[in-house]
Amino acid sequence: MRFRFIILFMLAGLVPCLAVLFGAVKFYELRAVELRTAEMQNQCTILGNQLDNYSYLTDPTSEVINANLAQLTNIYNGRVMIINRELEVVKDTYSLDEGKTDVSENVVRTMKGETTNHYDRKNHYIEVTSPIFEPGGEDVIGVMLASVSTDNIEVTRQIIFTQGGIVVGIIMTLLAVLSVFFADRMVRPLHRITKAIETVTEGYGDDVLHVETFTETRQLSEAFNKMLGRLKILDESREEFVSNVSHELKTPMTSVKVLADSLLEMPDAPVEMYREFMEDIAKEIDRENQIITDLLSLVKMDKTGQNMNISSVNINDLLEQTLKRLRPIADKKNVEVVMESFRPVTAEVDEMKVSLVVSNLVENAIKYNHENGWVHVSLNADHKYFYIKVEDSGIGIPEKDQPHIFERFYRVDKSHSREIGGTGLGLAIARSAVIAHRGSVKVYSSEGEGTTFTVRIPLTYAAA
């Protein structure tokens, strides 16, 4: 990681440095060519005006003009040609094309009164044309064509490149040193965080991570500490769950063992006692079976991507059938079970899971109720959700216990719960089934005044 940071840091410095260097060279070149072109254009204009005074186009023997042309050629290391109206070269400072005809594009355009210039970067020269006007008129009678070398511009350009390259090299050296320093400074806290994360595999310690070198590392430390806290809670929850499962499964087996040993110690026990003990053993076996069944249901609920048998279900009928199965239990405690439907409701749900939700909530409402109490179940819906409310006149749930009632094996009053029966998994199963439908379940209760559970489930199932 440190090496990648150094590379990125140096690239971040190299790119702007090279951009500045190339930009500076390009700017110098364009500016130098522009100035040289303007200078040559001005010289050609001055000389062109002098040609009129000496009738140079008809008699190119003027020593004054020839001296000026030679001086211009020497100063700018160039070549000058004078071309008359018939496009004939009357003077060439290189004496190569005199007497020849020049029909180049720039010469033809200049004969029409235009001024042209051209920079040939590859061959290192600037070509400038300037019209020669008749004395006191606007008619073009000739063209002055000057070509000057740009070798000195190219030399200066190379010098700038070389010196600029040296400066860039010095800057990159300094950047390399600084990048190593800053990389070490930035990576060091990340190494501490990495080591702290690696220690999680060895167990959860009490120490929290405090790396506040930068804002990012502080935020990362806070996120890690939150995650570690959740992992500790999850680990404690798993340990507690395993302990509870072991205890819940062991209790009925212990009872069976005690009852069986008692019978073995009494070979002459009466038939009535054998029958009573066997009935107790059968009850404990049923209880063990119920715990295992509920555990398997809960495991299935917890599976990621659990299978949902979604179908269009009449929720009114489902509630009626579920309550019909539970009324015999209510009758034993003389608890009245009443259902109220505000409108017909059809939804896309897993019928078995919704039935488990209603069964567990209503069965708890019956079990933890008073003699001659009541349970009220209502069904309502809007355009998006349907709502099931289960109210009872039972013993209620203390406020301190309400946040924990959906935890597995959690019992508000363990001794009283043992007498009533149940596995302590019903509400956990109900909550998992509701969440599987992307719904929610809430509880409202006052101790001694009864409890209300409200379930909200979407009418249309949306898979994850």
Side-chain angles (χ1 to χ4, degrees), residues 5-218:
F5 177 83
I6 293 172
I7 295 298
L8 290 174
F9 192 80
M10 292 186 68
L11 284 176
L14 178 63
V15 171
C17 284
L18 291 178
V20 170
L21 176 59
F22 281 99
V25 171
K26 187 66 176 178
F27 175 79
Y28 161 76
E29 181 183 12
L30 293 176
R31 183 61 179 166
V33 168
E34 181 183 356
L35 291 174
R36 182 63 58 83
T37 301
E39 189 176 354
M40 288 302 302
Q41 200 81 57
N42 186 51
Q43 292 292 334
C44 288
T45 301
I46 294 173
L47 276 173
N49 293 332
Q50 292 179 352
L51 294 179
D52 296 337
N53 299 329
Y54 292 92
S55 301
Y56 192 81
L57 290 176
T58 56
D59 183 16
T61 59
S62 171
E63 294 181 0
V64 175
I65 298 298
N66 288 333
N68 289 337
L69 290 175
Q71 184 179 17
L72 180 65
T73 300
N74 293 331
I75 291 174
Y76 292 102
N77 189 24
R79 176 186 182 187
V80 179
M81 291 192 298
I82 307 298
I83 304 168
N84 62 18
R85 185 179 293 174
E86 286 75 26
L87 302 180
E88 179 185 352
V89 179
V90 298
K91 178 63 177 179
D92 182 358
T93 56
Y94 278 13
S95 301
L96 296 176
D97 293 333
E98 289 182 0
K100 295 181 180 179
T101 302
D102 190 333
V103 292
S104 62
E105 180 184 357
N106 288 341
V107 171
V108 173
R109 287 172 56 191
T110 306
M111 289 298 296
K112 296 179 181 179
E114 297 182 25
T115 298
T116 67
N117 60 77
H118 170 69
Y119 171 50
D120 190 330
R121 181 178 181 183
K122 182 178 179 181
N123 296 309
H124 304 159
Y125 74 88
I126 299 173
E127 183 181 271
V128 175
T129 61
S130 178
I132 302 172
F133 296 97
E134 65 178 354
E138 296 183 356
D139 291 338
V140 179
I141 59 175
V143 174
M144 179 177 287
L145 187 152
S147 299
V148 297
S149 172
T150 59
D151 288 339
N152 57 342
I153 295 177
E154 182 64 22
V155 170
T156 306
R157 181 172 169 273
Q158 293 297 329
I159 291 173
I160 295 175
F161 254 128
T162 303
Q163 295 180 346
I166 294 172
V167 173
V168 170
I170 294 172
I171 293 174
M172 291 309 298
T173 302
L174 293 175
L175 282 176
V177 174
L178 289 174
S179 63
V180 171
F181 172 76
F182 283 113
D184 184 69
R185 180 177 173 80
M186 294 187 69
V187 172
R188 195 180 304 161
L190 296 179
H191 283 323
R192 291 204 298 270
I193 293 174
T194 302
K195 289 180 180 178
I197 294 174
E198 288 174 352
T199 57
V200 174
T201 59
E202 301 171 3
Y204 305 121
D206 296 328
D207 296 334
V208 293
L209 186 62
H210 293 292
V211 181
E212 300 183 356
T213 311
F214 309 105
T215 302
E216 291 76 10
T217 56
R218 177 176 56 78

Side-chain angles (χ1 to χ4, degrees), residues 307-311 348-355 437:
N307 294 326
M308 297 287 288
N309 298 316
I310 300 299
S311 61
E348 296 177 1
V349 296
D350 186 317
E351 184 173 0
M352 184 200 73
K353 289 182 174 61
V354 174
S355 180
H437 286 86

Side-chain angles (χ1 to χ4, degrees), residues 291-415:
I291 293 172
I292 294 172
T293 301
D294 285 352
L295 280 172
L296 291 175
S297 298
L298 202 54
V299 169
K300 290 179 181 179
M301 295 284 185
D302 286 344
K303 275 187 178 179
T304 303
Q306 57 176 295
N307 294 326
M308 297 287 288
N309 298 316
I310 300 299
S311 61
S312 182
V313 177
N314 187 313
I315 306 300
N316 305 72
D317 291 344
L318 185 148
L319 290 182
E320 289 283 3
Q321 294 169 8
T322 304
L323 295 181
K324 183 178 180 181
R325 292 197 302 268
L326 295 174
R327 281 197 171 91
I329 301 174
D331 292 340
K332 289 181 181 179
K333 291 192 65 173
N334 199 24
V335 173
E336 182 183 14
V337 178
V338 179
M339 176 180 168
E340 182 180 12
S341 295
F342 291 92
R343 56 179 50 81
V345 178
T346 301
E348 296 177 1
V349 296
D350 186 317
E351 184 173 0
M352 184 200 73
K353 289 182 174 61
V354 174
S355 180
L356 275 175
V357 173
V358 178
S359 296
N360 281 302
L361 294 180
V362 175
E363 190 171 353
N364 276 358
I366 295 171
K367 287 180 179 179
Y368 296 95
N369 216 317
H370 300 292
E371 289 287 339
N372 302 316
W374 52 265
V375 175
H376 181 217
V377 181
S378 63
L379 174 65
N380 205 345
D382 56 24
H383 68 286
K384 192 174 182 181
Y385 300 96
F386 71 89
Y387 305 87
I388 299 173
K389 182 185 292 186
V390 179
E391 303 173 85
D392 66 59
S393 60
I395 61 177
I397 303 171
E399 187 175 353
K400 65 181 179 65
D401 293 308
Q402 291 179 23
H404 306 287
I405 61 171
F406 293 106
E407 296 175 6
R408 300 162 185 183
F409 295 112
Y410 186 85
R411 298 176 187 272
V412 175
D413 184 347
K414 292 181 172 56
S415 60

